[in-house]
Each structure stands twice: as structure tokens, then as C-alpha cells.
């Protein structure tokens, strides 16, 4: 291993940000899509955990990590469909339903996932973008998983969809005003149902990344609250998918801070650095709850506004 001194810290943070940010990225752009249709889904933590379990189980049974990713997306889509279906009924609160589905998803994952704690499933492949360097740390930092690249492309495509396509305009109209959507012949319940299902499928893919790449195993504490933090990330990103991408990298970098400092010998207060993503979440929530900035850019029908 080549000693690169203090440069090891930013290099480790960069590599860690790429690895740690991918679940944040998928959950946040999924929640962005859901919230732009006027519905909030706090159940994505449960969807993320159940996606991690189902993806790992199918990958182990089939020997194909990509089959696991598809299974996780399907499982997340089913959770999203259920959330979207039950929330269409009058008097149902989407926040309360989201919390209930979060607990349900985690409970089901723990129940069905116990047989898969010990078996080893195949990992998702990574692209070695550090091939140009002879330094092992650079090569390790630039091992980029395909799902990270796919998530970045999806964020750009979603931003373009919201801005320039009929589908994006439909979602925005439904998210901003139910009455206006009905007046032009749209069915708000159907649009929100499909948006919530698609958002759940993306969260499921984020879970598959956790169990099939980083950390690359299934256990009951694999999520560490990333699904809930991604909801705060969407608010910080002002419901913009591209901002979600950069915010996910920021959260990923915060999560990589502890291991990066440890790599150069800083071990004092090591475990406190693991709290960096949670401290960052609290700081962002305080920042975004300013009277001048709170809910700036939020869809008009989002329950947080009512």
C-alpha cells in the first residue's frame, strides 16, 4: 500500500461518498417523484429494508445479482402501490400510513430474511475508473458501482421529465392542485398511485445496493435510518432530482468521514464521526425550517403544507 499522507483523507471521503451515497440517491429521487405528485411516503425506510432483503434472497437463490435488483424493485413497487392505493380513501393520512408501512416492511424483512443472514449472495459488479493510476488507494476509491451511474442518469432524466415532458407536467399539475388537475380531465388518484409505486421501486433498488454491494450482506440493521434521512434530503434539495444527486453525495461524504480519518490514524472519538450523517440531517432540517425558506418550492398538495 502506497503512503499518500494527508491526501488519503479527501480521497477516502470521495470514494466513501460514491459508495455510501447510492442508497440515498435512489430513495431520494423516488421520494422526489412521489412528493412532486402531492403525496409523501414516510414508509421508504421499510421499503429500503425489505428491498435489501428480497434482493439478497433472490440473488442468492438465482446466482444473479441483477435478478436481485429486479426483485427489490418489484417488492418496492408493490409497497408503493399499496401505499398509493390506501391513501386515496377519504380521511386517510399519508404520513400515518407511511409510518405504519415502514414498520410493516421492517417486520416482514426481519421475518423472511432470517434464513439469509449467513448465506453469501453474489455481489453487483463495479467499474474500475481508477485504471489510469498506479496508486492502490486511487484505484480503490474509484471503484464505481453501475447503480451509482444509473442513479445519476435517472436524476438528470427525471429533472428533464418534470421540465419538458407531458408526463412531468401532469405530475406537477396533480402535485400543485387537485382541483386544477380534475378541471383539465386528469385523475389525481391514478397519477399519485403510479408515482408512489415508481418511487417505491426506486427505493427498493437502493435497498438492493445495500445488500448486494455496500456493505454487501444482509442483516437486520443494514439501513441505519437511511430511508428516513433521504426524506429530509428531498426537502433540502427543494424537490429537484439533480439537487438530490448532490445532496446524496454530501450525505455519503459525511458517512465516509469516520473511516477516512481512521485511515490516516485519527482514532480519537472515532465513533462520534459515525454520527456525522445524523448531525447533518438535524442541521439541514433546522436550516430548511427557517420561516423564510421552509417549504419553498414544495408541491401545493403535499400534506406537509396543510
Amino acid at each position: 500500500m502506497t503512503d499518500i499522507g494527508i491526501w488519503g483523507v479527501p480521497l477516502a471521503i470521495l470514494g466513501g461518498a460514491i459508495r455510501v451515497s447510492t442508497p440515498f440517491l435512489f430513495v431520494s429521487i423516488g421520494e422526489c417523484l412521489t412528493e412532486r405528485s402531492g403525496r409523501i411516503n414516510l414508509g421508504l425506510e421499510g421499503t429500503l429494508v425489505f428491498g435489501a432483503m428480497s434482493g439478497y434472497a433472490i440473488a442468492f437463490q438465482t446466482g444473479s445479482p441483477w435478478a436481485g435488483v429486479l426483485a427489490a424493485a418489484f417488492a418496492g413497487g408493490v409497497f408503493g402501490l399499496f401505499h398509493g392505493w390506501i391513501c386515496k380513501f377519504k380521511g386517510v393520512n399519508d404520513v400515518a400510513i407511511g409510518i405504519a408501512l415502514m414498520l410493516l416492511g421492517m417486520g416482514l424483512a426481519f421475518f423472511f430474511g432470517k434464513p439469509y443472514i449467513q448465506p453469501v449472495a453474489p455481489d453487483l459488479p463495479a467499474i474500475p475508473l481508477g485504471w489510469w493510476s498506479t496508486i492502490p488507494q486511487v484505484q480503490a476509491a474509484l471503484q464505481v458501482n453501475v447503480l451509482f451511474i444509473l442513479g445519476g442518469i435517472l436524476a438528470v432524466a427525471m429533472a428533464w421529465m418534470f421540465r419538458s415532458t407531458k408526463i412531468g407536467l401532469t405530475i406537477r399539475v396533480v402535485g400543485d392542485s387537485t382541483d386544477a388537475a380534475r378541471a383539465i380531465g386528469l385523475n389525481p388518484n391514478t397519477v399519485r398511485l403510479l408515482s408512489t409505486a415508481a418511487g417505491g421501486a426506486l427505493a427498493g433498488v437502493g435497498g438492493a445496493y445495500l445488500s448486494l454491494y455496500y456493505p454487501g450482506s444482509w442483516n437486520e440493521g443494514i439501513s441505519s435510518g437511511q430511508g428516513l434521512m433521504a426524506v429530509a434530503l428531498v426537502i433540502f434539495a427543494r424537490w429537484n432530482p439533480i439537487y438530490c444527486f448532490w445532496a446524496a453525495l454530501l450525505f455519503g461524504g459525511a458517512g465516509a468521514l469516520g473511516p477516512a480519518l481512521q485511515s490516516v490514524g485519527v482514532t480519537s472519538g472515532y465513533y462520534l464521526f459515525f454520527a456525522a450523517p445524523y448531525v447533518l440531517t438535524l442541521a439541514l432540517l433546522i436550516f430548511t425550517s427557517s420561516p423564510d425558506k421552509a417549504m419553498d418550492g414544495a408541491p401545493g398538495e403535499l400534506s406537509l403544507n396543510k
Side-chain angles (χ1 to χ4, degrees):
M1 186 70 72
T2 305
D3 184 8
I4 58 175
I6 194 65
W7 288 105
V9 175
L11 191 61
I13 291 177
L14 172 63
I18 293 173
R19 286 191 295 274
V20 178
S21 66
T22 304
F24 287 119
L25 175 58
F26 274 92
V27 178
S28 63
I29 60 175
E31 179 67 2
C32 183
L33 175 61
T34 302
E35 293 192 14
R36 288 297 289 264
S37 74
R39 175 163 293 147
I40 187 169
N41 184 2
L42 294 183
L44 292 182
E45 174 72 11
T47 306
L48 185 78
V49 175
F50 194 81
M53 186 282 297
S54 57
Y56 194 82
I58 295 300
F60 172 74
Q61 295 292 346
T62 64
S64 169
W66 294 110
V69 173
L70 291 176
F74 177 77
V78 171
F79 267 83
L81 274 176
F82 185 66
H83 186 280
W85 172 75
I86 202 168
C87 286
K88 75 175 184 178
F89 296 108
K90 188 176 182 181
V92 175
N93 184 282
D94 52 3
V95 173
I97 293 299
I99 294 173
L101 287 180
M102 175 182 69
L103 298 175
L104 175 65
M106 295 173 69
L108 290 176
F110 296 163
F111 178 77
F112 290 110
K114 285 191 179 297
Y116 297 100
I117 292 177
Q118 293 296 333
V120 178
D123 290 338
L124 287 166
I127 301 175
L129 297 183
W131 55 268
W132 48 270
S133 174
T134 58
I135 301 175
Q137 291 92 327
V138 173
Q139 294 176 351
L142 296 181
Q143 286 276 340
V144 179
N145 187 269
V146 175
L147 287 182
F148 174 77
I149 299 172
L150 179 61
I153 294 172
L154 280 176
V156 174
M158 191 178 293
W160 172 77
M161 179 190 75
F162 284 139
R163 186 180 62 250
S164 305
T165 70
K166 183 179 179 181
I167 295 175
L169 178 61
T170 299
I171 294 172
R172 286 165 48 203
V173 169
V174 169
D176 284 334
S177 173
T178 299
D179 291 337
R182 289 192 174 121
I184 59 176
L186 297 174
N187 186 331
N189 286 330
T190 300
V191 174
R192 287 177 184 142
L193 176 71
L194 296 177
S195 298
T196 308
L202 289 171
V205 173
Y209 176 89
L210 282 175
S211 60
L212 296 175
Y213 186 74
Y214 186 79
S217 62
W218 158 249
N219 63 74
E220 296 177 352
I222 194 169
S223 168
S224 304
Q226 293 183 54
L228 287 174
M229 286 191 285
V231 176
L233 186 152
V234 174
I235 298 173
F236 172 63
R238 288 292 179 264
W239 296 269
N240 184 317
I242 295 179
Y243 292 169
C244 285
F245 174 81
W246 295 115
L249 273 178
L250 179 64
F251 273 58
L257 182 61
L261 291 176
Q262 189 186 34
S263 68
V264 293
V266 179
T267 57
S268 179
Y270 173 71
Y271 289 101
L272 288 177
F273 290 112
F274 280 111
Y278 309 102
V279 173
L280 180 63
T281 302
L282 288 172
L284 292 179
L285 285 174
I286 293 171
F287 175 75
T288 54
S289 63
S290 164
D292 297 330
K293 298 178 180 178
M295 299 298 108
D296 183 21
E301 292 293 330
L302 198 62
S303 55
L304 290 175
N305 289 334
K306 299 179 177 178

